[in-house]
Amino acid sequence: LAVKNFYPLVKSPLEFLFLHKAADPLITFLIYLPAIASIVWFWRKPSKMISIAAGILLGLLFYTYWHYCVYLLATVGLLGFYAFLNRRRDFRRLKSFLFLAGVLTVTTIPYLVNYLMFINSTSAGEVVDRLGVVEYGRYFRIYGVKGDYLFYLALAAAVYVIFWKIRKKRDAAVLWWAFILAIFIAWNIQLIFGYTLVANHWWWAFAPAGLIIIFGVFHELAVVLVKSAPKTNFILAVLVALLVVKKMVNVLAFVEPSEELIQKYSFNSNLIDSWDWIDENLKGEP
């Protein structure tokens, strides 16, 4: 199924497409992807301006998507801890992290004020139970994610072999390891807070970072095998272009959908009539 995403002529059903949830590519990813990019950029070239950009984008994630925010905060926290341990060798990086933390704090003040007002309201419990699937308790999550853990470990091993041993890009290896270790923390955030919200959304949080790491591993491996970075970049650019064209083909298929598709994705008329009756006969916001 993943390979088909690079072959534009295949028209897959909507629910089998990557990013089929419209809110991700259209709303949340407009903040999430630049936030990931800012972390990578900050780690490679820490400076005051990049710290400001990264701090603002991470702060905006508080207003965007809870899971993405927690995951990237865990990533930045791990990188900051590493910078603290290496402060004697590279104090400039630690200083940039402290500046980033200050910008992040200022950006999140309105969110924290709204959050405190919300949790002290009489409807907070009802809203949380209605909108979020809350799991309470302190436990290590293993059921349903054993395969994912093995994948994360395999990816971490690939980073070690390609970035650390072969290419000697050790700062990059530390960066990717932080992204990988952060997803272990995210899956088990209930050990810290005693609860987690809609746990299956952690897959979505890690997916972009995981794909970036896989892309990086293949890129560095291809450079070693092809012995030419420009050729490798060209091949990967063609694959990315095919991926984009594939999405355009699938979207255009829904411009004039067939009757079968319309029936598949339409609500039953009785359900719509019920909603109309509720709107007309019940007060407030039913």
Side-chain angles (χ1 to χ4, degrees):
L1 182 62
V3 174
K4 291 198 311 182
N5 282 266
F6 297 93
Y7 184 57
L9 297 182
V10 176
K11 296 181 179 180
S12 304
L14 181 64
E15 64 266 29
F16 294 117
L17 292 179
F18 294 161
L19 297 180
H20 69 275
K21 186 181 177 184
D24 276 333
L26 295 179
I27 302 175
T28 59
F29 273 27
L30 296 179
I31 302 297
Y32 192 41
L33 295 183
I36 293 175
S38 71
I39 293 174
V40 175
W41 191 18
F42 170 83
W43 186 249
R44 290 180 175 177
K45 296 180 179 180
S47 68
K48 183 175 291 187
M49 292 305 298
I50 300 175
S51 299
I52 292 174
I56 291 174
L57 286 167
L58 285 170
L60 290 177
L61 277 178
F62 277 85
Y63 309 89
T64 307
Y65 207 96
W66 187 80
H67 295 77
Y68 300 168
C69 179
V70 170
Y71 170 64
L72 284 195
L73 286 180
T75 302
V76 171
L78 290 170
L79 292 172
F81 180 68
Y82 177 84
F84 174 76
L85 295 179
N86 266 350
R87 62 189 181 278
R88 291 184 179 178
R89 185 172 64 88
D90 190 359
F91 183 74
R92 176 169 166 264
R93 177 169 280 166
L94 177 61
K95 184 178 179 181
S96 296
F97 261 105
L98 294 175
F99 194 79
L100 185 155
V103 174
L104 173 62
T105 301
V106 172
T107 308
T108 56
I109 288 175
Y111 174 86
L112 295 175
V113 171
N114 284 326
Y115 175 75
L116 292 174
M117 292 174 60
F118 168 73
I119 61 172
N120 290 318
S121 67
T122 56
S123 59
E126 186 269 336
V127 172
V128 171
D129 290 338
R130 178 162 50 86
L131 298 181
V133 181
V134 186
E135 298 178 18
Y136 295 98
R138 300 181 186 276
Y139 57 90
F140 182 79
R141 184 177 300 278
I142 192 69
Y143 179 76
V145 289
K146 293 179 183 177
D148 298 89
Y149 287 167
L150 291 176
F151 171 74
Y152 304 150
L153 291 173
L155 193 56
V159 169
Y160 172 76
V161 172
I162 300 300
F163 283 91
W164 189 275
K165 295 290 289 184
I166 297 177
R167 298 291 288 163
K168 306 298 182 183
K169 295 184 176 181
R170 300 195 169 178
D171 269 356
V174 171
L175 173 66
W176 301 139
W177 280 334
F179 274 107
I180 295 170
L181 182 56
I183 191 58
F184 280 99
I185 296 174
W187 273 115
N188 296 283
I189 200 72
Q190 63 278 354
L191 286 171
I192 302 172
F193 296 108
Y195 71 93
T196 185
L197 299 172
V198 200
N200 63 351
H201 286 200
W202 295 122
W203 281 304
W204 300 347
F206 181 68
L211 289 173
I212 291 170
I213 297 171
I214 292 172
F215 185 93
V217 167
F218 273 100
H219 178 270
E220 296 298 331
L221 182 60
V223 168
V224 173
L225 297 177
V226 178
K227 305 295 183 182
S228 172
K231 288 182 180 178
T232 301
N233 294 338
F234 175 75
I235 294 171
L236 294 175
V238 170
L239 290 175
V240 171
L242 288 174
L243 187 67
V244 174
V245 172
K246 174 72 169 88
K247 299 307 169 197
M248 293 171 63
V249 169
N250 283 111
V251 169
L252 291 174
F254 286 88
V255 173
E256 295 182 1
S258 64
E259 187 62 31
E260 181 183 358
L261 280 176
I262 293 175
Q263 292 297 325
K264 181 179 178 63
Y265 293 105
S266 295
F267 284 111
N268 184 285
S269 60
N270 291 333
L271 180 61
I272 297 174
D273 292 341
S274 297
W275 286 342
D276 289 339
W277 184 92
I278 290 172
D279 284 337
E280 293 173 1
N281 293 278
L282 298 183
K283 296 180 179 180
E285 290 188 70

